[in-house]
Amino acid sequence: MNIDDWRSQIKRGTLEFSILLMISQGPCYGYEIISRLERRPILAAKESTVYPLLRRLLREGYLTSFWQESSQGLPPRKYYAVTERGMDYLAAMSGEWESLLEAINEIKEGTQHG
């Protein structure tokens, strides 16, 4: 496996978490999510990845959506917001993420837990 393959595996496992984190900070529309991910190359994802993920999160009740008119005369945009169920899921994911980082840092530092 090369570093690009490894990076792809990391992205696959963290994209859902990253998107939920972004939307939890305030409603976002699809292109905005994609643009914000692109600013962090390790998380950059194409429309063909992000939109199916957003649809799944909607279907599972973690997100809700609404249409909003643009103030600049552009077509309305579909915004996504995190539901209460989504916030619970995000809290669980955050706890797991912190545990993972702690374990990796312990290994890097050569310390043992318990």
Side-chain angles (χ1 to χ4, degrees), residues 65-85:
S65 66
F66 59 93
W67 289 91
Q68 186 168 319
E69 295 288 330
S70 168
S71 60
Q72 294 117 358
L74 299 170
R77 292 180 172 146
K78 186 176 187 176
Y79 280 80
Y80 299 90
V82 180
T83 63
E84 186 174 330
R85 179 176 179 188

Side-chain angles (χ1 to χ4, degrees), residues 7-109:
R7 187 180 307 119
S8 176
Q9 292 294 324
I10 290 172
K11 185 190 310 185
R12 192 171 298 124
T14 57
L15 193 57
E16 180 174 330
F17 182 44
S18 299
I19 288 173
L20 281 171
L21 281 170
M22 272 192 273
I23 298 172
S24 74
Q25 296 166 359
C28 301
Y29 56 95
Y31 182 74
E32 176 184 10
I33 293 166
I34 292 166
S35 296
R36 288 172 65 184
L37 289 169
E38 284 177 352
R39 287 187 228 138
R40 297 157 183 92
I42 198 160
L43 293 173
K46 297 184 184 319
E47 289 180 22
S48 60
T49 300
V50 173
Y51 286 108
L53 178 54
L54 290 170
R55 285 192 295 273
R56 182 176 59 76
L57 292 170
L58 274 169
R59 199 171 49 250
E60 293 175 354
Y62 299 128
L63 295 178
T64 188
S65 66
F66 59 93
W67 289 91
Q68 186 168 319
E69 295 288 330
S70 168
S71 60
Q72 294 117 358
L74 299 170
R77 292 180 172 146
K78 186 176 187 176
Y79 280 80
Y80 299 90
V82 180
T83 63
E84 186 174 330
R85 179 176 179 188
M87 290 303 286
D88 291 343
Y89 182 46
L90 184 56
M93 291 172 89
S94 293
E96 293 297 315
W97 182 257
E98 291 304 319
S99 294
L100 176 64
L101 289 179
E102 183 179 323
I104 289 172
N105 284 328
E106 287 174 358
I107 292 168
K108 279 175 59 178
E109 294 165 5

